Amino acid sequence: MNLVLTEEQRELRGTVRSFLAAASPLPDVRRAAESESGYDPAVYRRLNGELGLAGLIVPQEYGGAGAGYAELAIVLEETGAALLPGPFLATTLAAILLTELGDKELLPDIAAGTTVATVALDGDRALNGAEADVVLMVDGARVRAVRGGGRTPLTTLDPTRRQARVEAVAGEAVASSEAGMERVRDLFAVAVAAEQLGVLRASLDAIVAYSRIRVAFGRLIGSYQGVKHKLADMHCKLEQAESIVRNAAWAADEAPGELPLAAALAQAYVGRACFEVARDSLLLHGGIGFTWEHDAHLYYKRAKSDEVLLGPPRIHRARLADLLEL
Amino acid sequence: MNLVLTEEQRELRGTVRSFLAAASPLPDVRRAAESESGYDPAVYRRLNGELGLAGLIVPQEYGGAGAGYAELAIVLEETGAALLPGPFLATTLAAILLTELGDKELLPDIAAGTTVATVALDGDRALNGAEADVVLMVDGARVRAVRGGGRTPLTTLDPTRRQARVEAVAGEAVASSEAGMERVRDLFAVAVAAEQLGVLRASLDAIVAYSRIRVAFGRLIGSYQGVKHKLADMHCKLEQAESIVRNAAWAADEAPGELPLAAALAQAYVGRACFEVARDSLLLHGGIGFTWEHDAHLYYKRAKSDEVLLGPPRIHRARLADLLEL
Amino acid sequence: MDLEEYRRRARSWLEANARRSRDEDDPGADGVAAAKAFMADLYDAGYSGISWPAEWGGQGLSQAEERAFAEEAKDFTLPTYVFSIGLGMCGPTLVDLGTPGQKARHLRPLLRGEEIWCQLFSEPGAGSDVAALQTRATETEDGWVVSGQKVWTSVAQHADWGLLLTRTDVDVPKHKGLSMFVVDMHAPGVTVRPLRDMTGRAHFNEIFFDDVHIPAENLVGRVNDGWNCAVTTLLHERLSISSGVGMGGQKDNPVAFEALRHTVDTGDPLVRDQLVELYIRSRALALFNQRLAQETKAGIFPGARGSAAKLLLAELSMFQADLATSLAGPEAVAYEDGGRLADSISLAPALSLGGGTNEIMRNIIGDRVLNLPPEPRVDKTVPFKDLKTGTRQ
Amino acid sequence: MDLEEYRRRARSWLEANARRSRDEDDPGADGVAAAKAFMADLYDAGYSGISWPAEWGGQGLSQAEERAFAEEAKDFTLPTYVFSIGLGMCGPTLVDLGTPGQKARHLRPLLRGEEIWCQLFSEPGAGSDVAALQTRATETEDGWVVSGQKVWTSVAQHADWGLLLTRTDVDVPKHKGLSMFVVDMHAPGVTVRPLRDMTGRAHFNEIFFDDVHIPAENLVGRVNDGWNCAVTTLLHERLSISSGVGMGGQKDNPVAFEALRHTVDTGDPLVRDQLVELYIRSRALALFNQRLAQETKAGIFPGARGSAAKLLLAELSMFQADLATSLAGPEAVAYEDGGRLADSISLAPALSLGGGTNEIMRNIIGDRVLNLPPEPRVDKTVPFKDLKTGTRQ
């Protein structure tokens, strides 16, 4: 089991972090979120071009980098922390599904960043369903790639990520198998947990920083145990969440037998911890955290949206109970 | 609904509180708990004689005071807060059962304080089963009064209250009915919740008092938000627990239709709150709270024992779900 | 007239004149006009300012009548939202501390709904710590000139008058250099800007004062005694909030137990148990609130214990919105119509922040209910100009 | 010899000489004799003090060998409990700060198990706040005379020597008037009394010093520099605890997930979900501990982050004992035989109190991991004699 980043992985993290800090800081995130498409295609061109992130886990034979889930988790943690708007997670989920299915048709364009793809997660709902060129619709073991068809944008709690209802028109069949779909769902769980880890970390960082500069009753608020002890508990959640995500990514790469339990744990623990930390971060900011202009609510809304993205949270706990044969 | 004590009820509380403070302070409780019978019969003679508490809810026609559950709850809160050792709760439960069954034989001696009675709660286990003259054994709708027979003392977590396994020898049948037994179980729940309220209050009072005199790092510990905010949360539990107990006692006296829900709520809320407060009180005392000589562990152990006295706590929640028709 | 008769008459007036629908946060201009008309009727019928002094436009009756009317009114919805700050906080402060001139000028129009009031205490750098406020009032020949910024101001967009707390001396400790004024919200230099909150709507306003002139006679209380005046106002605020805390508002709430039980899958034992948890918490708080109300009736004043009810309500609001969205799953956060669960999770933090944060509530409970020793204070003796306040980069 | 060869040889020695059963808290006189014999064998085989200086009886090898042996030893149970304070805290402190005479006299017998050590810092009035201690050492012609009381002292009933922290100057702030000594536990005036804890057993002792004479050469470090010496000891304590935290101890634990899953009714969905919760918390902490261990191996020193692991372990211990007793119901708290659940709930608070309370851990995480601003301190500048300490009626 490998829970510590390698030198190369730390470099990857640094690169993505610096890129996002420069290319998609939070004021730009807000502007992009209010734009027509909901994101900035120029940022995506650089993200997929210079950094090659669209093809990160796509096999090299299809033009991807052939990297592992350990690397993917690092990237998703950063895009989560930066609240990168647009279809990055959506396309990543599609790439995961297609890679597992051994697809040859769609992956090259996805890896090249020229096709925006998404997966209908919950019947006919898809992240960035209105913006995607291709929607992968899953029905049991059958997967179809749908282009066109009606796309009805949904109102979302999270202003930084859109969703749409997708009309189930006919599409090309993509090869598939029942057993494979179990693994795909586990991999989705790992990917979402990695993003949640980033949201959790950024929420904690924000309130820690604010606690060092905000004064109430003549003292920095971080010096009050009422704040300090809450932040310490939030830090404990971060440490555990990070350990769980690294373990799940390692299992995805190296230990397929351990993946189901590791993935269910990742959703059950990290999803909850992320919302709790985002919530407490917002609350500890005081009144300013309740304003639209402050970023705390963006993390809070992303955290809640991610917590239910793969279904009501209890399904992850039920899956744990099954896998543990309780 | 009446949630506020009357003038007379406040007087009753004051009388019982003063009596227990003088007749059964905690050093005496420890001595009595380590004595052969586990309690001080002299205290009981006065409790049942001067104060007439053994017959508090026994109808006047059988020599009791014919008081209501509002009064009984006040008394049990005080005996709980004082950790009164011995069969007071046991005999109270027996008096509740017999009063509901309309018994004429046993109640006069119980009310007079000359018979120590108890109820086998969980098949053949009874509070103070070894010390009791009479054990009421319940089997469905049948109730038998057993005198003699084998009594095997159990080891108890709580040093201040004993339990025993009771041999199911033949005994006199006591009149009974299925419907009545439901109500009896609810009344037991109210009685135990009242005791828990007392344990909760005394645990909180102890740590509040200590926080006002204990210094760490040059400051009284109660001035640290790490302590103060926990105590505030504990106070919130006390306020709610008291409201719930008063409501349940009122329902027992005045609103039989509301009793089942009020009683299940009392066990579900107050049992948990009582343990949490006793636990946090012990922990906030620091190292001294872990010593045998300090009283914190007596409250902690009573709280845990009371929490499971009427069965695993989940049964109260399950009953709530049923009563709410969820 | 005995109390029962009073109550009966009040009820029949309400039945004839009051709505039973929901009040609105921001009624708009038409709504304000309608509300003013209703207040005039209410006043003329003798039900506005029931326990206020008759000399200044009140009815001069006792708290018993005031409470009797309030109890009857609970079954109705009176369109009094825009007047609530004036009736609950500003007016009572003037009754206690105002000059005869101020009372004569302001109380009757306030009670009759002719003029709307707001309260101007909080600032961006002075939220929980109101006494750290920076808005300066400088004395001139004929009064004062005020500059600064206020925030979290309800109904300011409709307000004619404001009760304003300012700093008048920076060379003394922060509590000792404040003064309170009545300010004309239509005066030159006053700018009201809606403040968009995390729900995306504007429930509050920011107010900017740019060299606003205030006549000398608008001073409330004495110069530099503003903190004591503010404490009076906040006491009235707490009373008017705590009398309502947790007593209602759950009826139409889509995340409250009674609504949720009909919308979730109670066939799942785990879902059922979470509903049980919600029932336990809701009922525990409701019973506590009922006990406080019964105590108040019996003459036992709840005092700081009301802060426990406020804290618990804030936590319950967060718990139930969180639970409801978690139970509903993806459709709670992405939807074609509805969105009531998304609204509830967006609004859930409000109660934990407004009217004192959860941390402030815990301090109050610790200090004033449990009599715990106070936190050592560094800000009570330092001259304000040397004190750290607000946000320091 | 390369590391793998070292490891192989260590393992075969352990297989030939070590037990695999549980160590005991208080082994009794026979147990102590057996433990001393084992330590002598361990020392003679070259596995005691592996990384300690060869000059003073150690093996003079590196941390790599020390760690290799410790890893192999995890599969065995070495009867080293009574030596753990000496090996983990007192010895390393002397290595760092002792005089050549102290090292020559004490280290070899300590490593060979000939003499047992205890640590004497905590007092009834100085638990979390060790520097508030009251035990006085007064200088005499040929050394010092000590009076006072210590508490929470493990293995003192078997100890030959103690590392003692005392106050030598009350006119300076509390951290500046402390001195550390080596004290002979058999000296006249030393009384060791078992301290009964809430489990009903005596895991610790109280030690009373009644005009105990300590020779001048037993001073460790400089006079009034005792706080810095104590920080060294506590650093070693933290290292020796954190290397073990949460890594074991769950195997035989009746309230741990693996045991509980076999003893509760998993047919009840609610019980099953509570076991899932326990699994989640246990696994989350286990993975965090594994990550810390991997980081340490990779040269990333965990530092204060170990306090998070300690806090989480304390909370998990309480959570699982509470859960197990709640699931089991009445028989958990009243029983004929067994009583393992009752034991676990009695022992559960220990980890939240020993080695720093949960509050102290949260302070450490806040201050040293998150770099939050410190609590204002009133006790760092006041002369000790004017400082409030302990319990004040």
Side-chain angles (χ1 to χ4, degrees), chain D residues 289-301:
Chain D
N289 274 313
Q290 287 182 38
R291 187 160 64 94
L292 284 181
Q294 289 186 7
E295 287 183 5
T296 307
K297 266 197 193 174
I300 307 167
F301 188 66

PDB file of all heavy atoms in Angstrom, chain D residues 289-301:
ATOM      1  N   ASN D 289      -2.761   6.338  10.414  1.00  0.00           N
ATOM      2  CA  ASN D 289      -1.556   5.875  11.111  1.00  0.00           C
ATOM      3  C   ASN D 289      -0.573   5.226  10.141  1.00  0.00           C
ATOM      4  O   ASN D 289       0.639   5.419  10.258  1.00  0.00           O
ATOM      5  CB  ASN D 289      -1.938   4.891  12.218  1.00  0.00           C
ATOM      6  CG  ASN D 289      -2.294   5.618  13.499  1.00  0.00           C
ATOM      7  OD1 ASN D 289      -1.566   6.514  13.929  1.00  0.00           O
ATOM      8  ND2 ASN D 289      -3.402   5.252  14.110  1.00  0.00           N
ATOM      9  N   GLN D 290      -1.101   4.484   9.198  1.00  0.00           N
ATOM     10  CA  GLN D 290      -0.199   3.875   8.221  1.00  0.00           C
ATOM     11  C   GLN D 290       0.475   4.935   7.367  1.00  0.00           C
ATOM     12  O   GLN D 290       1.656   4.821   7.027  1.00  0.00           O
ATOM     13  CB  GLN D 290      -0.960   2.894   7.325  1.00  0.00           C
ATOM     14  CG  GLN D 290      -1.317   1.611   8.067  1.00  0.00           C
ATOM     15  CD  GLN D 290      -2.024   0.598   7.184  1.00  0.00           C
ATOM     16  OE1 GLN D 290      -1.698   0.445   6.020  1.00  0.00           O
ATOM     17  NE2 GLN D 290      -2.994  -0.093   7.757  1.00  0.00           N
ATOM     18  N   ARG D 291      -0.276   5.966   7.033  1.00  0.00           N
ATOM     19  CA  ARG D 291       0.337   7.038   6.236  1.00  0.00           C
ATOM     20  C   ARG D 291       1.436   7.729   7.039  1.00  0.00           C
ATOM     21  O   ARG D 291       2.525   7.992   6.515  1.00  0.00           O
ATOM     22  CB  ARG D 291      -0.725   8.048   5.790  1.00  0.00           C
ATOM     23  CG  ARG D 291      -0.176   9.099   4.812  1.00  0.00           C
ATOM     24  CD  ARG D 291      -1.275   9.768   4.007  1.00  0.00           C
ATOM     25  NE  ARG D 291      -2.178  10.530   4.831  1.00  0.00           N
ATOM     26  CZ  ARG D 291      -2.071  11.836   5.082  1.00  0.00           C
ATOM     27  NH1 ARG D 291      -1.080  12.534   4.549  1.00  0.00           N
ATOM     28  NH2 ARG D 291      -2.941  12.444   5.854  1.00  0.00           N
ATOM     29  N   LEU D 292       1.163   8.011   8.323  1.00  0.00           N
ATOM     30  CA  LEU D 292       2.204   8.634   9.159  1.00  0.00           C
ATOM     31  C   LEU D 292       3.443   7.736   9.224  1.00  0.00           C
ATOM     32  O   LEU D 292       4.578   8.224   9.137  1.00  0.00           O
ATOM     33  CB  LEU D 292       1.674   8.881  10.576  1.00  0.00           C
ATOM     34  CG  LEU D 292       0.722  10.061  10.768  1.00  0.00           C
ATOM     35  CD1 LEU D 292       0.310  10.161  12.241  1.00  0.00           C
ATOM     36  CD2 LEU D 292       1.365  11.375  10.328  1.00  0.00           C
ATOM     37  N   ALA D 293       3.220   6.433   9.358  1.00  0.00           N
ATOM     38  CA  ALA D 293       4.362   5.512   9.445  1.00  0.00           C
ATOM     39  C   ALA D 293       5.137   5.511   8.135  1.00  0.00           C
ATOM     40  O   ALA D 293       6.382   5.531   8.132  1.00  0.00           O
ATOM     41  CB  ALA D 293       3.868   4.110   9.790  1.00  0.00           C
ATOM     42  N   GLN D 294       4.410   5.502   7.023  1.00  0.00           N
ATOM     43  CA  GLN D 294       5.102   5.528   5.726  1.00  0.00           C
ATOM     44  C   GLN D 294       5.864   6.839   5.539  1.00  0.00           C
ATOM     45  O   GLN D 294       6.969   6.859   5.001  1.00  0.00           O
ATOM     46  CB  GLN D 294       4.112   5.343   4.577  1.00  0.00           C
ATOM     47  CG  GLN D 294       3.541   3.928   4.495  1.00  0.00           C
ATOM     48  CD  GLN D 294       2.662   3.725   3.253  1.00  0.00           C
ATOM     49  OE1 GLN D 294       2.576   4.596   2.393  1.00  0.00           O
ATOM     50  NE2 GLN D 294       2.023   2.567   3.182  1.00  0.00           N
ATOM     51  N   GLU D 295       5.266   7.921   5.986  1.00  0.00           N
ATOM     52  CA  GLU D 295       5.960   9.216   5.877  1.00  0.00           C
ATOM     53  C   GLU D 295       7.226   9.212   6.714  1.00  0.00           C
ATOM     54  O   GLU D 295       8.280   9.690   6.272  1.00  0.00           O
ATOM     55  CB  GLU D 295       5.041  10.352   6.335  1.00  0.00           C
ATOM     56  CG  GLU D 295       3.945  10.664   5.346  1.00  0.00           C
ATOM     57  CD  GLU D 295       3.092  11.852   5.782  1.00  0.00           C
ATOM     58  OE1 GLU D 295       3.420  12.488   6.802  1.00  0.00           O
ATOM     59  OE2 GLU D 295       2.096  12.129   5.115  1.00  0.00           O
ATOM     60  N   THR D 296       7.126   8.677   7.929  1.00  0.00           N
ATOM     61  CA  THR D 296       8.295   8.637   8.802  1.00  0.00           C
ATOM     62  C   THR D 296       9.417   7.847   8.143  1.00  0.00           C
ATOM     63  O   THR D 296      10.571   8.282   8.125  1.00  0.00           O
ATOM     64  CB  THR D 296       7.915   7.995  10.153  1.00  0.00           C
ATOM     65  OG1 THR D 296       6.782   8.691  10.678  1.00  0.00           O
ATOM     66  CG2 THR D 296       9.063   8.084  11.143  1.00  0.00           C
ATOM     67  N   LYS D 297       9.062   6.704   7.579  1.00  0.00           N
ATOM     68  CA  LYS D 297      10.066   5.914   6.863  1.00  0.00           C
ATOM     69  C   LYS D 297      10.684   6.705   5.722  1.00  0.00           C
ATOM     70  O   LYS D 297      11.861   6.567   5.420  1.00  0.00           O
ATOM     71  CB  LYS D 297       9.418   4.654   6.276  1.00  0.00           C
ATOM     72  CG  LYS D 297       9.540   3.451   7.164  1.00  0.00           C
ATOM     73  CD  LYS D 297       9.267   2.196   6.350  1.00  0.00           C
ATOM     74  CE  LYS D 297       9.070   1.018   7.283  1.00  0.00           C
ATOM     75  NZ  LYS D 297       8.661  -0.189   6.581  1.00  0.00           N
ATOM     76  N   ALA D 298       9.834   7.515   5.077  1.00  0.00           N
ATOM     77  CA  ALA D 298      10.327   8.299   3.942  1.00  0.00           C
ATOM     78  C   ALA D 298      11.040   9.565   4.398  1.00  0.00           C
ATOM     79  O   ALA D 298      11.391  10.408   3.578  1.00  0.00           O
ATOM     80  CB  ALA D 298       9.158   8.645   3.024  1.00  0.00           C
ATOM     81  N   GLY D 299      11.227   9.706   5.717  1.00  0.00           N
ATOM     82  CA  GLY D 299      11.980  10.852   6.207  1.00  0.00           C
ATOM     83  C   GLY D 299      11.150  12.086   6.469  1.00  0.00           C
ATOM     84  O   GLY D 299      11.682  13.155   6.742  1.00  0.00           O
ATOM     85  N   ILE D 300       9.810  11.954   6.359  1.00  0.00           N
ATOM     86  CA  ILE D 300       8.942  13.097   6.691  1.00  0.00           C
ATOM     87  C   ILE D 300       8.511  12.913   8.142  1.00  0.00           C
ATOM     88  O   ILE D 300       7.716  12.032   8.461  1.00  0.00           O
ATOM     89  CB  ILE D 300       7.689  13.139   5.784  1.00  0.00           C
ATOM     90  CG1 ILE D 300       8.102  13.085   4.316  1.00  0.00           C
ATOM     91  CG2 ILE D 300       6.851  14.369   6.078  1.00  0.00           C
ATOM     92  CD1 ILE D 300       6.941  12.807   3.370  1.00  0.00           C
ATOM     93  N   PHE D 301       9.049  13.740   9.035  1.00  0.00           N
ATOM     94  CA  PHE D 301       8.781  13.577  10.451  1.00  0.00           C
ATOM     95  C   PHE D 301       7.392  14.098  10.784  1.00  0.00           C
ATOM     96  O   PHE D 301       7.061  15.233  10.433  1.00  0.00           O
ATOM     97  CB  PHE D 301       9.856  14.331  11.242  1.00  0.00           C
ATOM     98  CG  PHE D 301       9.788  14.074  12.709  1.00  0.00           C
ATOM     99  CD1 PHE D 301      10.049  12.814  13.219  1.00  0.00           C
ATOM    100  CD2 PHE D 301       9.461  15.096  13.590  1.00  0.00           C
ATOM    101  CE1 PHE D 301       9.988  12.579  14.581  1.00  0.00           C
ATOM    102  CE2 PHE D 301       9.396  14.865  14.943  1.00  0.00           C
ATOM    103  CZ  PHE D 301       9.671  13.604  15.440  1.00  0.00           C
TER     104      PHE D 301
END
